[in-house]
């Protein structure tokens, strides 16, 4: 249906933005390992706590710019009534913006030699996203899917914080 196409277009644009976060993460990852190996878990926690505001400033600001620029880009590319795409994009991006401070640190467990914990984190996020989408998509269509995925971005932060406390004994 056309609604799936609308959601797909917005989700594709959000995925492009997420790739920017992957680039940031790729540059942060070696630093996480270096700090953990040379100074320990508490120093790692301090690094993440200090890095969060920078990530929010950089990635959050870019996310807000993307939300503001997206309607113009969509209108120039598609014309006509594209408010659904713009709103889905804004809903999805809001979850990314709110969790942006933690996005560069999502691979922390791999970086400190705990791939099992990294797998647990990703599995929890996947299952959460799947469950929320099953419930909300059936109830509210593409709007429910957008809210479910956005909620998964937010819950991902909770999982990351809990697993850091449990596995590394640090508060981020």
């Amino acid at each position: 249906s056309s609604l799936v196409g609308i959601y797909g277009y917005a989700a594709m644009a959000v995925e492009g933005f997420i790739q920017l976060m992957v680039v940031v993460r790729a540059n942060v990852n070696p630093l996480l390992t270096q700090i953990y190996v040379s100074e320990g878990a508490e120093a790692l926690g301090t690094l993440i706590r200090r890095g969060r505001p920078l990530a929010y400033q950089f990635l959050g600001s870019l996310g807000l710019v993307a939300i503001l620029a997206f309607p113009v880009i969509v209108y120039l590319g598609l014309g006509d009534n594209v408010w659904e795409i713009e709103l889905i994009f804004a809903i999805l991006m809001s979850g990314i913006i709110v969790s942006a401070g933690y996005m560069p640190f999502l691979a922390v467990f791999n970086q400190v030699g705990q791939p099992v914990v990294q797998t647990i984190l990703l599995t929890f996020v996947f299952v959460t996203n799947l469950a929320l989408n099953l419930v909300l998509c059936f109830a509210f269509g593409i709007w429910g899917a957008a809210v479910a995925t956005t909620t998964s971005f937010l819950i991902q932060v909770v999982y990351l914080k809990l697993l850091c406390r449990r596995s590394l004994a640090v508060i981020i």
Side-chain angles (χ1 to χ4, degrees):
S1 106
S2 66
L3 293 178
V4 173
I6 288 169
Y7 187 88
Y9 189 86
M12 179 184 63
V14 169
E15 180 60 32
F17 188 83
I18 289 173
Q19 292 309 308
L20 174 63
M21 294 186 179
V22 170
V23 169
V24 172
R25 189 177 311 132
N27 286 281
V28 168
N29 282 345
L31 185 58
L32 297 176
T33 304
Q34 179 185 2
I35 293 293
Y36 182 75
V37 169
S38 66
E39 299 179 38
E42 190 53 45
L44 176 68
T46 300
L47 173 69
I48 294 171
R49 287 190 303 274
R50 287 185 180 160
R52 273 192 340 242
L54 297 173
Y56 275 121
Q57 287 173 352
F58 177 67
L59 297 169
S61 297
L62 285 177
L64 289 174
V65 168
I67 288 174
L68 295 173
F70 190 72
V72 174
I73 294 167
V74 170
Y75 181 76
L76 292 175
L78 301 178
D80 294 338
N81 187 9
V82 293
W83 69 270
E84 293 100 342
I85 296 171
E86 296 165 7
L87 188 55
I88 294 293
F89 180 80
I91 292 169
L92 292 169
M93 282 300 295
S94 68
I96 291 172
I97 291 168
V98 172
S99 62
Y102 293 89
M103 292 283 193
F105 310 108
L106 286 176
V108 66
F109 302 111
N110 265 355
Q111 294 308 121
V112 300
Q114 295 188 19
V116 171
V117 179
Q118 188 73 44
T119 302
I120 290 168
L121 172 65
L122 297 175
T123 302
F124 283 177
V125 173
F126 168 74
V127 169
T128 299
N129 193 23
L130 180 64
L132 288 171
N133 268 283
L134 286 172
V135 172
L136 296 177
C137 192
F138 283 118
F140 303 104
I142 62 171
W143 308 107
V147 169
T149 299
T150 296
T151 303
S152 294
F153 287 132
L154 304 177
I155 292 174
Q156 172 177 262
V157 172
V158 174
Y159 292 151
L160 178 66
K161 291 175 79 135
L162 290 172
L163 288 170
C164 276
R165 182 177 292 163
R166 183 170 182 251
S167 299
L168 301 173
V170 295
I171 297 172
I172 59 167

